[in-house]
């Protein structure tokens, strides 16, 4: 059953025509002082990621964003991110996610469903783990494109892209 679910999640495709996309990619060029550094890609190969881990990463990241949106405090979301993500201030994150707050998007409801990955977890040219997919909520699906880095043996979000699209009828 676990293998069937994993295969279904990793091979289901969904057309991503987002109505809006909110992207947070930290600016480059700032030196992180005394912060943990991402694990080199060679070491990442020794820690493969399975479908369950991918789902947990996506859900926990979405819940952190939900809590930040509800409270208006983006400090924890920032602190849970990779060193490159932490280069942004919590105030900048609040401004970036303002459209979600204004819209009162219920990310808790989305995170309580199983996300559908539109492609298998993969390492991009930036040596980050990329997870793309959607939560098939209605009336709009919540689509995501998250990137993660492994820091001191744990996965941390390094960029977040989130959007909405009309739910696909089944």
């Amino acid at each position: 059953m676990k293998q069937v679910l994993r295969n279904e999640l990793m091979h289901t495709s969904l057309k991503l025509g987002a109505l809006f996309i909110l992207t947070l990619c930290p600016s480059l060029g700032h030196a992180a002082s005394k912060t943990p550094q991402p694990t080199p890609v060679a070491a990442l190969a020794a820690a493969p990621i399975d479908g369950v881990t991918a789902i947990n990463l996506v859900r926990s990241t979405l819940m952190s964003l939900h809590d930040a949106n509800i409270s208006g405090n983006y400090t924890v979301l920032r602190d849970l991110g990779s060193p490159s993500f932490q280069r942004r201030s919590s105030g900048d994150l609040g401004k970036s996610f303002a459209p979600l707050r204004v819209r009162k998007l219920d990310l808790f409801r989305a995170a309580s469903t199983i996300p559908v990955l539109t492609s298998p977890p993969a390492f991009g040219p930036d040596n980050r783990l990329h997870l793309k997919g959607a939560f098939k909520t209605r009336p709009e699906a919540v689509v995501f494109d998250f990137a993660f880095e492994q820091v001191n043996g744990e996965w941390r979000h390094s960029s977040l892209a989130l959007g909405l699209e009309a739910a696909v009828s089944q």
Side-chain angles (χ1 to χ4, degrees):
M1 175 72 171
K2 188 175 178 181
Q3 183 63 36
V4 171
L5 178 60
R6 183 181 300 152
N7 288 342
E8 180 182 343
L9 291 172
M10 294 181 71
H11 294 102
T12 302
S13 63
L14 177 68
K15 194 176 194 178
L16 294 178
L19 296 176
F20 75 90
I21 293 286
L22 178 62
T23 305
L24 290 177
C25 295
S27 61
L28 301 175
H30 297 273
S33 60
K34 297 186 182 181
T35 56
Q37 295 303 308
T39 305
V41 72
L44 293 177
I49 186 167
D50 60 27
V52 173
T53 302
I55 289 169
N56 288 337
L57 284 171
V58 170
R59 278 180 158 167
S60 65
T61 301
L62 199 64
M63 287 305 303
S64 295
L65 178 56
H66 169 76
D67 291 346
N69 280 342
I70 294 297
S71 68
N73 183 344
Y74 291 84
T75 304
V76 173
L77 178 68
R78 180 189 167 280
D79 291 348
L80 290 174
S82 68
S84 61
F85 189 84
Q86 292 176 4
R87 291 183 186 131
R88 298 192 64 157
S89 72
S90 57
D92 288 342
L93 293 173
K95 290 175 187 172
S96 296
F97 286 112
L100 294 179
R101 271 195 325 279
V102 168
R103 201 175 163 141
K104 298 186 188 291
L105 184 60
D106 188 356
L107 298 178
F108 180 81
R109 184 172 64 95
S112 61
T113 67
I114 297 175
V116 176
L117 300 179
T118 57
S119 59
F123 291 102
D126 57 2
N127 295 328
R128 294 180 178 158
L129 174 67
H130 291 266
L131 301 175
K132 297 177 185 182
F135 290 90
K136 293 187 174 185
T137 53
R138 295 196 183 276
E140 297 168 308
V142 176
V143 295
F144 61 87
D145 184 351
F146 295 162
F148 298 87
E149 294 178 54
Q150 206 172 52
V151 179
N152 295 335
E154 63 183 46
W155 292 107
R156 294 192 176 199
H157 55 267
S158 58
S159 67
L160 306 175
L162 195 66
L164 297 175
E165 70 175 13
V168 178
S169 298
Q170 295 181 344

